[in-house]
Amino acid sequence: MYQLKNISLVCAGLAVVGCKNDAQTSEDKELVSGIYTENMDTTVDPGDNFTAYVNGGWVKKTEIPADKSSYGTMTIVREEAEENVKKIIEEAASGEFEKGSDEQKLGDFYKSYMDLETRNSAGITPMQEEFSKIEEISNYEDLTRYFAYANKMGIDVPLGFYISPDYKDPQNYVVYAAQWGLGLPDREYYLKEDDRSKEIRQKYQEHISRMFQLAGLENGEKAASTILKLETALAEKQMPKEQRRNRVANYNMMTVDTLNTLMPRFNWNTYLEAAGLEDQDKLVVMMLDYTKSLDQLVRRTNLATWKTYLKWSALNSAAPYLSEEIDQEHFEFYNKELRGTPEQRPLWRRGVSVVNRNLGELVGKVYVQKHFPPEAKERMEELVENLLKAYEASIKELDWMSEDTKKEALDKLSKFDPKIGYPEEWKTYDIEVAADDLMGNIMRTNAMEYQRNVDKLGKPVDRKEWGMTPQTVNAYYNPSKNEIVFPAAILQPPFFNLNADDAVNYGAIGAVIGHEIGHGFDDSGSTFDGDGTMRNWWTETDREEFKKRTDALVAQYNGFEVLPELNVNGEFTLGENIGDLGGLSIALKAYKMSLDGKEGPVLDGFTGEQRVFMGWAQGWMGKSRDEALRVQVSTDPHSPRDFRVNGVVRNIPEFYTAFNVEKGDSLYLAPEERVKIW
């Protein structure tokens, strides 16, 4: 019920042309540095802690709001976008619009979330039909059918699937089967034996017991013990997160008639038929060993245990959309206990998030009209063009890569497909939305999105489809389409400032552009070519040299202490760290190329090169609660924000000259220890 699982999206060519000379001069306009000097802490030596030098003043004077687990640049920009979306939604909610119109759907979906009186009055009633479905499971064939149904409705079960371009045939979609089904954030929460992990497992059981009581389900304590035991058995078999990043090793294409060699007692035909996938003759099994082990685990677990687990999974998925009491209990564990957040976000912000998740492009159409000027798109197109040109120059200059591999890398670069602001074509939302039926709205939306994805099968890959809405403050790279995507909402200060000198924009949004391009050449993205096909385009020697450099980066990040006895996981965060390092390095190169031999202006006492580095650091200003950092290290492939700054700049030679960093400074690395990949 519930939120549909993430469906990956899947290369239109982009000709690389010369960098535009877009350096600004005083004759062009009044220059603004774009540096927030009031946020700095100039008592800190930039060579000791660069992020504290740029952002330390803000950190010292800012408390994390009670409804946040972390707070900083990203949160501030996202909340501004939410405020803009709120106005759009409230305008729709305040009017009388024709039933079935975009405005009616937006307004009534929001009303259904905000109407606590109706939600409280309904209590657990919206779940009764779901509990009955689960209770009616009488054999393992029924269980198989329910697993398939749960995928439609976004309910966690041990074997899930999604639809995405075929890694080896990116013109066509294919079904991917994958491991799911855990209520805690990652498998390691079930397996680690430190005191905090044990405490979380105990708190999790107590939470499940309370949720069963609130839902009117019997034997909550016993159920909680049963659920934890089953989820632990799943976790023991699941693939660790570090290995899940290996797309090549996890691509196992199998014909449907051979799936019974993996799970001989699991009726795949029943599963696929119930999922509406009976016409598929093949699918990709992502985690082979886990899938094999699931065969025995499904059958040796009795149906009563599965029913208890499934009721919990359904209830847990639906909790944020039920009564205040159930929603609050869900918050108490997943946000307060796990992430240290004292209070819930305001109801209206949660309502905006729900509408964004379920009717995102209906909101997006209005958002871009109101908040994304054409000149922002034009300026971004110039920046992307210049970053691609700088990557081209950098690849040609690499001293560790052979000409054969360079040729392939340049071919891939020439085929990048940038998407900026908003999609060319908008999704339609052909569902009924009622102002007094939040759970019904959620269920109908999930069913619609599920069918939207199933309907892709047998059709050419839609290269115009976006995986994020325009009002999302984020960006992404998709290897199967070889595309880089920048939604409108991230294109605002401090990431993108139309009124600022170029340097800070290169350091901020320019490095974000470079980061996303860099994903095409990280340890995972580099296994795909320019057409989005997963194939090895490297010579053996070059791949070994690449791995030597990435191993050095892994070692650097493994040494960063987040909290006492908690370090960054360098292997898990490798792809993002490669993106950060390449992104800032190439952004700096693009900035220097854009000057066309001229000197950048000195503004607020800082040179152009200094402002590039400072622009990057400003984007990662913030602070987090200790509990939130623990969850991040366990589940997020991005390094904590401080290391996205300090861990990157120390590897870039220009940083040393720009800020007079010398041996003895904390960030100093000897030249031979600095990592350069792209």
Side-chain angles (χ1 to χ4, degrees), residues 56 65 74 88-89 105 115 148 185 192-193 276 364 381 434 437 528 561 597 603:
M74 290 293 286
I88 293 168
I89 294 173
K105 291 173 184 175
D115 184 0
K192 292 173 69 174
E193 290 299 321
E381 288 170 345
D437 186 17
F528 292 77
E561 186 179 72
L603 298 173

Side-chain angles (χ1 to χ4, degrees), residues 361-427:
E361 290 196 13
L362 289 189
V363 178
K365 279 196 288 188
V366 184
Y367 181 88
V368 296
Q369 292 171 7
K370 293 179 177 290
H371 302 290
F372 190 58
E375 56 266 32
K377 187 178 178 75
E378 293 167 6
R379 184 70 189 99
M380 272 294 290
E381 288 170 345
E382 293 177 2
L383 284 167
V384 170
E385 183 180 311
N386 287 2
L387 263 293
L388 287 166
K389 183 63 179 177
Y391 255 102
E392 178 186 25
S394 185
I395 290 170
K396 289 177 177 178
E397 294 166 2
L398 290 176
D399 59 4
W400 61 268
M401 181 178 282
S402 70
E403 292 302 318
D404 287 343
T405 306
K406 283 183 182 180
K407 182 179 178 181
E408 291 277 6
L410 291 168
D411 178 71
K412 177 168 186 171
L413 189 72
S414 73
K415 294 176 178 176
F416 267 78
D417 182 16
K419 293 180 168 69
I420 299 166
Y422 52 90
E424 294 178 26
E425 298 176 359
W426 298 99
K427 292 178 181 176

Side-chain angles (χ1 to χ4, degrees), residues 128-191:
Q128 295 302 341
E129 184 178 348
E130 200 62 46
F131 292 156
S132 295
K133 275 194 182 80
I134 294 168
E135 199 54 50
E136 289 167 3
I137 295 172
S138 61
N139 54 51
Y140 287 94
E141 287 294 290
D142 290 346
L143 181 65
T144 301
R145 290 189 188 92
Y146 189 85
F147 281 172
Y149 162 81
N151 272 279
K152 292 182 181 181
M153 305 313 298
I155 301 172
D156 256 338
V157 288
L159 183 66
F161 59 84
Y162 59 94
I163 293 158
S164 188
D166 186 340
Y167 289 169
K168 293 193 175 181
D169 181 18
Q171 308 304 317
N172 295 293
Y173 294 103
V174 72
V175 179
Y176 292 82
Q179 66 185 36
W180 283 333
L182 303 181
L184 289 173
D186 185 72
R187 67 185 293 274
E188 68 183 41
Y189 281 81
Y190 299 87
L191 308 179

Side-chain angles (χ1 to χ4, degrees), residues 212-271:
F212 265 58
Q213 183 178 358
L214 291 172
L217 298 172
E218 297 179 352
N219 302 317
E221 287 188 19
K222 182 180 178 182
S225 177
T226 297
I227 290 160
L228 182 63
K229 183 177 179 180
L230 178 53
E231 290 185 359
T232 301
L234 292 169
E236 288 171 344
K237 301 297 183 182
Q238 288 196 352
M239 179 179 286
K241 58 182 177 288
E242 297 85 357
Q243 296 175 24
R244 294 198 299 267
R245 297 187 62 254
N246 190 331
R247 296 177 192 255
V248 175
N250 283 312
Y251 181 91
N252 304 287
M253 180 69 78
M254 301 189 68
T255 58
V256 170
D257 59 7
T258 62
L259 290 172
N260 60 2
T261 62
L262 286 181
M263 298 178 68
R265 290 180 289 184
F266 185 84
N267 193 328
W268 282 94
N269 289 329
T270 296
Y271 180 73

